[in-house]
Amino acid sequence: MTEPLLIPCPHCNGLNRIPGERLGDSPKCGRCKSPVLLNTPFELKQGDYASQIKGDLPLLIDVWADWCGPCKSFAPIFEQAAKQLSGRCRLAKLDSEANQQLAGQLGIRSIPSLILFRNGREVARQSGAFPLQQLLEWLRSQGI
Ligand SMILES: [Zn+2]
């Protein structure tokens, strides 16, 4: 038996308690019954932020904007990463135009920016788009 992991639901922000050995069984949210673990990035909004950075699975946020060319070319790489990291890291996209207050609060100066959270705290940050292998290596260096 492993310690249950606390994981926020990407759909309703409900905090789920999921045994480690069940992470591979497509666990459903106790509140809204949607899948808790996704293999695609989910959209993060201002109001979700405080709930979503919590929990035992790290959260990687890609801060982007519609007018940003490098952000657009990075999007498919981020999606690939979400597939490969399912169950180990949660990936979210933050539209910095639609959520300017939060982008300001996070001190975003250039995009794309990647911010890694663990248990509610920022643990690492990178600016600029980079290739999938480099992204995965960076996360590996953070213990993911
Ligand atoms: Zn839910």
Side-chain angles (χ1 to χ4, degrees):
M1 281 285 287
T2 42
E3 279 287 293
L5 299 172
L6 288 175
I7 305 176
C9 169
H11 308 277
C12 74
N13 293 329
L15 199 56
N16 288 271
R17 189 178 288 273
I18 297 171
E21 65 271 17
R22 284 209 43 229
L23 283 183
D25 303 340
S26 312
K28 299 265 192 299
C29 173
R31 190 197 281 178
C32 74
K33 311 296 174 206
S34 300
V36 173
L37 297 174
L38 307 174
N39 57 8
T40 54
F42 63 97
E43 198 187 334
L44 187 75
K45 298 209 172 70
Q46 188 119 2
D48 307 325
Y49 170 75
S51 305
Q52 291 298 329
I53 61 171
K54 287 183 194 157
D56 294 316
L57 276 192
L59 175 72
L60 178 66
I61 302 179
D62 170 24
V63 187
W64 69 286
D66 193 46
W67 48 262
C68 161
C71 294
K72 285 192 170 156
S73 53
F74 182 63
I77 295 169
F78 199 64
E79 278 172 30
Q80 283 285 322
K83 268 197 196 94
Q84 298 206 15
L85 296 167
S86 183
R88 284 187 284 153
C89 182
R90 308 160 59 243
L91 279 74
K93 291 177 71 81
L94 176 72
D95 181 341
S96 59
E97 289 292 305
N99 301 277
Q100 290 186 4
Q101 194 189 328
L102 179 55
Q105 186 187 327
L106 292 169
I108 301 300
R109 290 197 171 75
S110 66
I111 51 172
S113 274
L114 293 169
I115 311 179
L116 184 66
F117 287 88
R118 183 176 267 147
N119 298 115
R121 288 206 325 270
E122 177 177 337
V123 292
R125 183 185 287 226
Q126 286 264 6
S127 318
F130 38 95
L132 181 63
Q133 279 318 314
Q134 208 178 319
L135 173 61
L136 295 175
E137 267 162 39
W138 176 58
L139 291 171
R140 211 171 295 137
S141 75
Q142 300 297 329
I144 293 170

